[in-house]
Amino acid sequence: METSKAYKFFQKLIQILSVIVVIASVVFVIWLLQIGILNDQNQLKTFIEQQGVWGILTFTALQAFQVVFPIIPGGITTIVGFLVFDPITAFFVNYIGINLGSIILFYLARKYGKAFCLLFMKPETYQKYIGKIDDKKGYELFFIYCMLSPISPADVVVMITGLTSMSYKRFFIIIMLCRPISIVGYSLLWIFGGRWIRNFL
C-alpha cells in the first residue's frame, strides 16, 4: 500500500512539474524574444564559448536528460543548440544527446515496464499506443515514422517501444538513421516559427 501511495505521489508530482515546465518554457522563450536575445545570437554564443568544451558537454548532457525525464520540452533545447553553436556542432550535440537519452529511456522502459511509462504519460495515452504493438511489422513502421517526424511524440513512442520485443541493436540502428531528419526538421520549424511569432510581438 505504501509503495502504491509513493508511486502515485511521484506520478502526480511529475505531471505537475511537466505542466509548470512547459508554461515556464513558453514564457521564457517569449521573454527572450521580447528582450532581443534570440535576435542577437552573439550573446548566447559568447556565454557558451566561455565555457569551452564544458559548454558542449553540459548541453549534450542536458539534451540526454530532457529525453530521459521528458518534462522539459525538447524543442526548446534543440533550437537553443542551433542558436548558440555553429550548425555542424549544434547538429552533433543535439544528435548525440537525444540518441543517448533515447537509449537510456528505452532501457528504463524495458527494465521497469508499464509502471515506469505511466510516470510520464497518462493512462489514456498509454492505452492509445500500447495497442499498436500487437502488429509487430506495422508498429516498427510506425516507430520509424515517429523517429523521422519532427512533430511526433518521440519520447512516448520510445518508452512504448521499450515494451516490445525489438532488439537493442535494431532500436539503435533506427534512431541513428532517422533522428538526423527529425532534428533538422524540428530546428527549421522552430526557426521559421520564431520569425513568424516575432512579427506579432
Side-chain angles (χ1 to χ4, degrees):
M1 179 64 72
E2 291 302 319
T3 301
S4 178
K5 287 183 178 179
Y7 177 82
K8 289 181 179 179
F9 169 77
F10 282 110
Q11 188 179 41
K12 195 67 177 178
L13 178 62
I14 289 172
Q15 291 173 354
I16 294 172
L17 286 175
S18 298
V19 174
I20 292 174
V21 170
V22 168
I23 294 173
S25 298
V26 172
V27 172
F28 180 64
V29 169
I30 292 175
W31 177 69
L32 290 178
L33 287 168
Q34 288 181 330
I35 65 176
I37 287 182
L38 292 185
N39 296 321
D40 183 5
Q41 299 175 16
N42 291 327
Q43 295 185 46
L44 289 172
K45 286 183 177 179
T46 300
F47 175 76
I48 294 295
E49 288 171 355
Q50 288 174 347
Q51 315 309 311
V53 68
W54 289 109
I56 294 176
L57 293 176
T58 299
F59 193 85
T60 302
L62 175 62
Q63 277 294 57
F65 179 84
Q66 64 84 14
V67 174
V68 179
F69 298 97
I71 60 175
I72 303 173
I76 301 294
T77 51
T78 300
I79 190 58
V80 167
F82 277 92
L83 288 173
V84 300
F85 299 110
D86 64 85
I88 294 177
T89 301
F91 170 78
F92 280 105
V93 166
N94 284 319
Y95 181 66
I96 293 171
I98 291 173
N99 280 345
L100 178 61
S102 296
I103 292 168
I104 295 172
L105 188 61
F106 179 83
Y107 165 78
L108 291 173
R110 174 150 295 180
K111 183 175 179 62
Y112 297 108
K114 178 180 177 180
F116 175 79
C117 295
L118 288 177
L119 284 173
F120 300 100
M121 67 179 82
K122 295 179 179 180
E124 310 87 79
T125 302
Y126 176 83
Q127 292 300 327
K128 175 183 177 180
Y129 290 103
I130 197 65
K132 296 180 180 294
I133 69 175
D134 294 332
D135 179 4
K136 185 176 179 180
K137 185 176 180 179
Y139 181 80
E140 184 171 305
L141 292 175
F142 170 73
F143 175 64
I144 291 172
Y145 165 76
C146 289
M147 294 304 100
L148 288 170
S149 173
I151 57 174
S152 69
D155 298 337
V156 169
V157 175
V158 166
M159 282 188 277
I160 295 297
T161 305
L163 306 181
T164 71
S165 60
M166 183 181 291
S167 67
Y168 281 95
K169 179 181 179 180
R170 194 160 188 80
F171 174 81
F172 182 74
I173 291 173
I174 290 173
I175 64 171
M176 291 292 287
L177 294 176
C178 295
R179 279 299 174 92
I181 296 174
S182 61
I183 290 172
V184 172
Y186 205 89
S187 301
L188 291 174
L189 185 66
W190 275 79
I191 289 171
F192 289 110
R195 291 175 181 174
W196 181 79
I197 292 173
R198 281 197 295 271
N199 293 330
F200 295 91
L201 294 178

